[in-house]
């Protein structure tokens, strides 16, 4: 796996993954694009989302969509690393079993999500979930 980051101007950069996909990052207060630290949060939420959706689909749950609300607390001193990250999964669908969602979130946190597991070596990473049952 590889990537390249190239300076655009100011404190803006374009990051290109080895697979050829690009994203702009802004190190100047996230005025024009996500900051690198915001990208870390988004990476953790995205990685975990892939796992949770996949596991729920395999469990034949009627999931319409999944959102992850991720919140990161940073140290007050430099470097302002994350000290705590919380991922809250909000699962929308019909007749979704809480036991399946709990299992999916736990498997992602403990076994599958490389980003979250890597971060948990130095950051307090916690998880919760909510189910929004939709009529239908």
């Amino acid at each position: 796996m590889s990537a390249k980051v190239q300076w655009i101007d100011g404190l803006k950069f374009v990051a290109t993954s080895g697979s050829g996909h690009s994203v702009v990052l802004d190190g100047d207060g996230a005025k024009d694009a996500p900051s690198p630290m915001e990208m870390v949060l988004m990476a953790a939420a995205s990685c975990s989302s892939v796992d949770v959706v996949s596991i729920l689909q395999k469990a034949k749950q009627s999931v319409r969509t999944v959102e992850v609300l991720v919140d990161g607390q940073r140290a007050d001193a430099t470097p302002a690393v994350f000290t705590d990250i919380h991922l809250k999964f909000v699962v929308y669908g019909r007749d979704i079993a809480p036991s399946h969602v709990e299992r999916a979130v736990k498997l992602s946190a403990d076994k599958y999500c490389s980003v979250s597991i890597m971060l948990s070596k130095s950051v307090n990473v916690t998880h919760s979930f909510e189910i929004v049952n939709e009529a239908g």
Side-chain angles (χ1 to χ4, degrees):
M1 191 172 288
S2 65
K4 176 176 88 172
V5 175
Q6 185 175 1
W7 177 44
I8 299 172
D9 64 31
L11 290 178
K12 286 188 290 196
F13 300 81
V14 63
T16 304
S17 66
S19 58
H21 302 282
S22 296
V23 63
V24 174
L25 295 103
D26 185 352
D28 189 22
K31 294 176 188 169
D32 296 315
S35 73
M37 292 300 277
E38 288 174 321
M39 292 295 290
V40 170
L41 292 179
M42 291 189 286
S46 300
C47 178
S48 295
S49 296
V50 168
D51 300 332
V52 169
V53 168
S54 176
I55 293 165
L56 291 175
Q57 286 176 332
K58 288 176 185 168
K60 306 227 184 293
Q61 296 296 290
S62 297
V63 175
R64 183 182 58 81
T65 194
V66 174
E67 296 175 343
V68 181
L69 308 173
V70 60
D71 182 58
Q73 301 301 312
R74 296 176 69 182
D76 291 331
T78 301
V81 298
F82 285 116
T83 56
D84 297 273
I85 295 174
H86 183 75
L87 295 98
K88 179 181 179 182
F89 296 82
V90 184
V91 180
Y92 296 81
R94 291 188 334 265
D95 302 320
I96 298 168
S99 61
H100 284 293
V101 177
E102 183 176 19
R103 178 178 176 271
V105 169
K106 184 165 177 41
L107 282 170
S108 177
D110 296 343
K111 185 174 182 181
Y112 293 119
C113 177
S114 304
V115 176
S116 183
I117 292 167
M118 179 181 62
L119 288 170
S120 72
K121 302 299 181 195
S122 61
V123 178
N124 178 39
V125 180
T126 57
H127 304 77
S128 64
F129 69 88
E130 173 185 351
I131 297 170
V132 178
N133 278 308
E134 301 174 326

